[in-house]
Amino acid sequence: MKRYFVTGLLIWVPLGITLWVLALLVGTMDQTLLVLPAEWQPDVWTGLHIPGLGVILTLMVIFLTGLFGANFFGQKIIDFWERQLTRIPVIKSIYGSVKQVSDTLLSGKGHAFRKVLLVRYPHPDAWSLAFQTNLPESVRAQLPEEHVAVFIPTTPSPVNGFYFFVKKSDTIELAIPVDSAFKYIVSMGVVSTVSPRTLPFH
């Protein structure tokens, strides 16, 4: 009886959580329909609520914004508005920080989270998964040996963690994708889809 109950849980728990997350995302994106005039909202002129229309609207807005920003005149307008935002004290700090992170993670031009490393943390006899990120030049100039900047995420929430500078010679590079490392961290090691191949010390 217990085995059947556990088997049922193993089937329904991941399915239920997946459906809950999808419903949350769709419901959140559907809120974008509220920006439309009341007479344009699908619920009014169709007489019923159709989940997912907000997702379509959100994707269309993102695509059209990217199309607009990819051409010369659109880029000039966006640059103009960004300059205006950077002149407002509080917004300057928030917008500037968020933009730097998003440009690094989404544009593919940065070097953040491009390598998965093993570092000695929280004590010399323990190893932790870490992601190599950018080392500021001002810090690099003050360090006598070659160092790397690493982000050590916490389990099971990888959005929190620690940012350290460690000697490159004290790290081990793992030949695994970043998304696989995230799976290890979120699942607390339960999910292991790839056998990591370690590279030699640098």
Side-chain angles (χ1 to χ4, degrees), residues 59-148:
L59 295 177
M60 287 180 58
V61 169
I62 294 174
F63 175 78
L64 293 176
T65 303
L67 185 64
F68 173 76
N71 64 65
F72 177 78
F73 294 104
Q75 187 62 54
K76 290 296 182 182
I77 294 175
I78 292 174
D79 289 343
F80 170 77
W81 281 110
E82 286 184 346
R83 286 196 298 271
Q84 305 311 310
L85 290 175
T86 55
R87 294 177 181 177
I88 305 175
V90 177
I91 295 179
K92 174 183 178 180
S93 301
I94 300 174
Y95 180 80
S97 301
V98 173
K99 181 169 176 56
Q100 287 181 354
V101 173
S102 63
D103 286 350
T104 300
L105 296 179
L106 299 178
S107 68
K109 296 178 181 179
H111 298 286
F113 297 175
R114 294 303 180 88
K115 293 181 180 179
V116 182
L117 305 176
L118 282 177
V119 297
R120 294 188 181 277
Y121 179 84
H123 55 79
D125 294 327
W127 291 94
S128 294
L129 282 176
F131 300 101
Q132 183 174 340
T133 183
N134 294 320
L135 180 66
E137 287 297 332
S138 57
V139 175
R140 189 193 307 274
Q142 298 298 321
L143 299 175
E145 300 181 40
E146 186 176 7
H147 282 64
V148 293

